[in-house]
Amino acid sequence: MSPEPGAASVENARQGGHVTQGAPTLEARGLVKTFGHVVGLAGVSLKLYPGEVLAIIGDNGAGKSTLIKCLSGALTPDEGEMLLDGAKVEFKSPVDARRAGIETVYQTLAVAPALDIASNLYLGREVRDSGPLGRFFRKLDTRGMRAKAKDELKDLGIGTIQDITQKVETLSGGQRQAVAVARAAAFGSKVVILDEPTAALGVRESGQVLALIKRLRGRGLPVILISHNMPHVFEVADRIHIQRLGRCAGVITPRSHTMEEAVAIMTGATTLDEAAEAPGDGKSAAGRDGGDRTRT
């Protein structure tokens, strides 16, 4: 399967203009992953551009989780290649991906409830004190980590958390999600992957997480968003990668297609070309709002 002809000028895509080719931060080419006779991915290609929110949608069993696990190092693809800033990379584990600057926040939220916020942000990356106690007795720089954690939350506009020493188990669902995203943003220098970040949240907390995603994009950090919530996807995504039965059924934008068309492509009720040719207001779906439509 040929690489995805994606949108490079993300700002133009947001405004509904025509997009031009550019250099992606992360690129996957023809990824294949099988589990015995079960095909998880069948030649999936993907491009993620700087400062872009790329949503990945699909029904259960479409290959979304397998795709992000390959991108984050949790799985190794059987075929295909991945490029980060144009250089070929191979991840044997999530540690390799994190070292390369790719951070993933899974739906299960890997936070330690009994630890405070700062300790969770630096979990597995604790900073030692610069003095003799740190060098010889491995004393942690607790004060420094708390100060940096507070600055990170402030930079992301997370104002609902006032006490950085507060234990995570005392936080709301939205605040816990914010801590997990803040940790990913603090150490994800290249890409942040968010798996269903609003799945278990209420309306208000979901809005806070969506605002956080927009702020990450504003910092120029590309984000991959996996979600079943179409209104959330269409609110924050610049482009939408649609998975179906282990393949990419197409890549659209919120301006080129409607939610109904996206769901129809996702479920197989229609194809990308059929959605573009559907009768309506006399214009194709791609020209309805001036957006481009792309597919693999």
Side-chain angles (χ1 to χ4, degrees), residues 140-218:
L140 299 181
D141 183 11
T142 303
R143 180 179 299 178
M145 287 190 290
R146 286 177 176 175
K148 291 178 181 178
K150 188 175 182 179
D151 290 341
E152 184 65 30
L153 295 179
K154 183 179 179 181
D155 290 343
L156 288 173
I158 303 174
T160 58
I161 299 176
Q162 302 298 326
D163 185 5
I164 205 72
T165 65
Q166 186 176 355
K167 290 186 177 180
V168 168
E169 63 188 0
T170 65
L171 301 178
S172 67
Q175 289 173 324
R176 293 188 189 196
Q177 188 68 259
V179 169
V181 174
R183 181 175 60 193
F187 298 100
S189 58
K190 300 291 185 181
V191 176
V192 172
I193 301 174
L194 303 177
D195 183 12
E196 299 283 0
T198 62
L201 304 182
V203 175
R204 181 178 178 182
E205 292 179 328
S206 294
Q208 293 171 350
V209 172
L210 295 178
L212 185 55
I213 294 173
K214 294 176 183 177
R215 284 193 287 271
L216 291 178
R217 176 173 61 190

Side-chain angles (χ1 to χ4, degrees), residues 12-68:
N12 285 343
R14 292 188 196 124
Q15 296 173 0
H18 293 284
V19 293
T20 56
Q21 192 66 23
T25 299
L26 178 65
E27 181 177 2
R29 297 176 178 174
L31 296 186
V32 174
K33 183 64 181 178
T34 59
F35 304 92
H37 295 293
V38 178
V39 178
L41 297 176
V44 175
S45 296
L46 172 148
K47 289 182 180 180
L48 176 68
Y49 295 91
E52 172 187 42
V53 176
L54 174 66
I56 298 179
I57 64 173
D59 209 346
N60 293 333
K64 304 186 302 300
S65 295
T66 303
L67 177 57
I68 65 166

Side-chain angles (χ1 to χ4, degrees), residues 6-296:
S9 176
V10 178
E11 187 60 32
N12 285 343
R14 292 188 196 124
Q15 296 173 0
H18 293 284
V19 293
T20 56
Q21 192 66 23
T25 299
L26 178 65
E27 181 177 2
R29 297 176 178 174
L31 296 186
V32 174
K33 183 64 181 178
T34 59
F35 304 92
H37 295 293
V38 178
V39 178
L41 297 176
V44 175
S45 296
L46 172 148
K47 289 182 180 180
L48 176 68
Y49 295 91
E52 172 187 42
V53 176
L54 174 66
I56 298 179
I57 64 173
D59 209 346
N60 293 333
K64 304 186 302 300
S65 295
T66 303
L67 177 57
I68 65 166
K69 286 179 180 179
C70 287
L71 296 177
S72 62
L75 289 175
T76 302
D78 301 326
E79 297 179 22
E81 62 180 6
M82 294 186 293
L83 293 88
L84 189 63
D85 286 334
K88 186 176 179 180
V89 293
E90 293 183 5
F91 301 140
K92 300 299 183 182
S93 70
V95 175
D96 291 341
R98 287 198 296 266
R99 287 173 178 167
I102 299 176
E103 286 285 334
T104 304
V105 179
Y106 291 101
Q107 186 176 354
T108 50
L109 282 186
V111 293
L115 298 180
D116 62 29
I117 296 169
S119 297
N120 268 276
L121 256 67
Y122 283 90
L123 193 62
R125 299 182 175 95
E126 291 80 2
V127 179
R128 292 184 189 176
D129 192 278
S130 58
L133 291 178
R135 291 197 301 270
F136 298 108
F137 298 100
R138 299 184 178 183
K139 179 180 181 295
L140 299 181
D141 183 11
T142 303
R143 180 179 299 178
M145 287 190 290
R146 286 177 176 175
K148 291 178 181 178
K150 188 175 182 179
D151 290 341
E152 184 65 30
L153 295 179
K154 183 179 179 181
D155 290 343
L156 288 173
I158 303 174
T160 58
I161 299 176
Q162 302 298 326
D163 185 5
I164 205 72
T165 65
Q166 186 176 355
K167 290 186 177 180
V168 168
E169 63 188 0
T170 65
L171 301 178
S172 67
Q175 289 173 324
R176 293 188 189 196
Q177 188 68 259
V179 169
V181 174
R183 181 175 60 193
F187 298 100
S189 58
K190 300 291 185 181
V191 176
V192 172
I193 301 174
L194 303 177
D195 183 12
E196 299 283 0
T198 62
L201 304 182
V203 175
R204 181 178 178 182
E205 292 179 328
S206 294
Q208 293 171 350
V209 172
L210 295 178
L212 185 55
I213 294 173
K214 294 176 183 177
R215 284 193 287 271
L216 291 178
R217 176 173 61 190
R219 294 170 57 172
L221 190 62
V223 177
I224 294 177
L225 171 66
I226 297 88
S227 179
H228 282 94
N229 192 307
M230 290 299 108
H232 291 173
V233 166
F234 272 71
E235 179 179 343
V236 300
D238 298 300
R239 291 185 302 130
I240 303 169
H241 173 110
I242 304 175
Q243 277 287 122
R244 174 166 168 76
L245 301 178
R247 300 178 182 273
C248 177
V251 182
I252 64 174
T253 76
R255 289 184 174 271
S256 68
H257 291 71
T258 65
M259 279 189 247
E260 291 76 13
E261 289 169 338
V263 172
I265 296 171
M266 183 179 77
T267 57
T270 187
T271 64
L272 190 66
D273 290 332
E274 290 171 348
E277 297 168 359
D281 55 7
K283 296 182 180 180
S284 68
R288 192 175 301 141
D289 293 306
D292 285 355
R293 63 183 182 90
T294 57
R295 66 171 177 170
T296 54

